[in-house]
Structure formats: structure tokens, C-alpha cells
Amino acid sequence: MAFAMPAMVLCLLASYTVLMCSFMGPRHLFLWCSSPSEDERRISQAVGKRVKAAYDSLGDFTFAEKSILGWFVVLTACWILRKPGFFRGWSYLFPDEGVLLTDSVPAILVVFILFAWPKDPSSNDLAPILNWSAMKRRFSWSCVLLIGAGYAISEGVNKSGLSFLISRTMKDTFGQLHSVFLLLAVTASITFMTEFASNVSTGSVFIPIAMSIAESLHIHPLYLALPVTLACSYAFMLPMATPPNAVVYDTKFVNMIEMIMSGLLLNICCIFITVLNMNTWTYWLFNLDTFPDLTKHHNSTINY
């Protein structure tokens, strides 16, 4: 949190500035601090009425909704208390201190419970909250396949030696640069690379590569690993870069040129914010001017 908060605030301000200037015009940038016009008041009142009507149409809090909320709280507690670190969690109640228990175990358990938990106990049929037809229709199978494919691609890149080739090329290309320019080049490369690949696959492939490059150049691994991790999420230019982009583009209110231009400006802003954050606040926070002893004994999969 201490690392991410300053960059998050600056990126949020940059997003507001870029999007307001791109789609509303620079003169609307500071209209929030001025009194609204009569038309704006009328539009605001109309929107407020629509939102209130939609909220009223939701009705009362049903038993099924309360059950979902309750089981979500239970699931969150299981995740937090599995191995909290400051005391022995519930995973230590199992053989081998729950070495095979991951966060997916309580999640799958809660899903199975929802297949049997009644939607309305006062009804005669006692239909469960979750059934297979709803599961097939609403479950994001593509997301599961995407994440699985990301790990498969990462493993394939490592096993095939492609990670060695990419890291050697990046080292030969950027290795002679000053550390600040190296950071800028790596962050920019990953930012534009993630426009054409998923965040998961980009991160799983290039984070180990960035750490290997840092190790070979005797730089703190976090100096390159942290910005690469952030840059994997800087997918603002293309609809296929990330699902939210596709949703926005599908509304037809934003055309391709507008998305590319505003996304490019936002990418540039986020790149420089990341570089600034890494060389100021984060540099002091993680003592990035040192090279940790742990890394010296780390068995890297990439040899030079």
C-alpha cells in the first residue's frame, strides 16, 4: 500500500486530466469547482431520478442475497485466516500443515455449498441458489481459460528457452543504459506489449525476465520487477488489450482513433509516473540502492 498509493493517486489524476481533455475539452477540466448551469442541474436531477427508480425496483433484501453475502464473508475469512502469518491459521489443522491447501480450496467448497443452499427456505421446492444451467450461462469460462493459458505460455517460454533469448536481447539492447533510462525503456516496452497480450501472460513471462536482467546487471530486482508488474496493467489503447476496453468500445461512443490517442497519452503519463515513483519514494522505501543477499544465492533459470 505504501508503494502503490502515491503512484495510484498520480495515475488517477492523469487519467482524469487526459480523459477530460480528450473527450470534454480542456475548458471542462475545472468545471467541478464552478456552479452548474441550468441545463446541467436539469440533467443531474433527471439522472438522480433514474438512479433512484432503479434502486427502488430492486426490492427488499432477499434470503438468497443475504446468503450470498454471508458465504462471501465466510470465504473472505477463510482466505485471510488460512495462513495469516502472525498466528497459526486453520490450514495447520490438516496433515503436513495444509501444504496442499490453497485459496482455491475454500472457494470451490463455497461454490459446492451454493449448489445445495436453498434460495428460499419457505418455498416448497427448495431450489438451490446455484444450478448448473445458470453456471453454464453466467460463469466466465473464457477468464479461466485465459488465466490457464497465461501460465501455460509462461511455462512454455521458460522451457523452450525463449525467455533466455528475450532476456539476452533486452540486456544487450538496454544493458548499457543508465539505470533510469533502463527502467524507462523496460517499462515502455512492457506497456506497449501488453496492448497485444493479456496482462496475466505478459506478467508471468516478463517479470522473471526483468528480475534476471536486474540480477545480471547487479541491480535490485524490485527496481525492474515492480514497474513491469504495473506496466502489465497499462493497457489503455486497444479494445482487445483488456475486457473493460472492449466494453467501452462496444458502446460505439468511442471510436478506434479516439481510444488509441487517449490511451497513448495515458500510457505515456503512467510510464513517467512509474519511473518517477520508482526513483523517488519507492527507491527509499525498499532501499533499492542495495543488492539483496537473497538474490545472490538465487538460482536463476537464465545464465549469461
Side-chain angles (χ1 to χ4, degrees), residues 24 28 52 62 79 89 91-92 117 163 183 203 256 271 278 289 301:
M24 301 294 293
H28 289 82
K52 187 178 185 305
T62 64
W79 283 338
S91 63
Y92 290 94
W117 195 266
S163 60
L183 174 62
M256 181 67 73
I271 289 171
M278 290 301 302
D289 56 338
T301 58

Side-chain angles (χ1 to χ4, degrees), residues 49 68 84 148 150 156 160 165 176 181 207 213 291:
K49 291 179 180 178
I68 293 294
S160 65
L165 178 62
Q176 304 302 320
F181 295 106
I207 290 174
I213 293 174
F291 190 74

Side-chain angles (χ1 to χ4, degrees), residues 211-245:
M211 297 185 71
S212 298
I213 293 174
E215 183 178 351
S216 65
L217 297 176
H218 209 71
I219 300 174
H220 199 297
L222 293 180
Y223 187 74
L224 294 181
L226 288 177
V228 167
T229 304
L230 295 177
C232 291
S233 298
Y234 295 161
F236 306 126
M237 290 176 57
L238 300 176
M240 71 286 294
T242 186
N245 289 17

Side-chain angles (χ1 to χ4, degrees), residues 115-127:
F115 273 102
W117 195 266
K119 183 186 299 184
D120 185 4
S122 61
S123 63
N124 295 326
D125 57 355
L126 294 179

Side-chain angles (χ1 to χ4, degrees), residues 53 87 120 135 151-152 159 195 198-199 225 233 252 274 298:
F87 67 89
D120 185 4
M135 185 77 173
Y151 288 116
K159 294 293 185 181
E195 300 288 349
S198 69
N199 300 357
S233 298
K252 309 300 181 184
T274 302
H298 172 67

Side-chain angles (χ1 to χ4, degrees), residues 15-27:
S15 302
Y16 173 79
T17 303
V18 169
L19 295 178
M20 286 295 293
C21 292
S22 298
F23 296 100
M24 301 294 293
R27 67 184 187 88

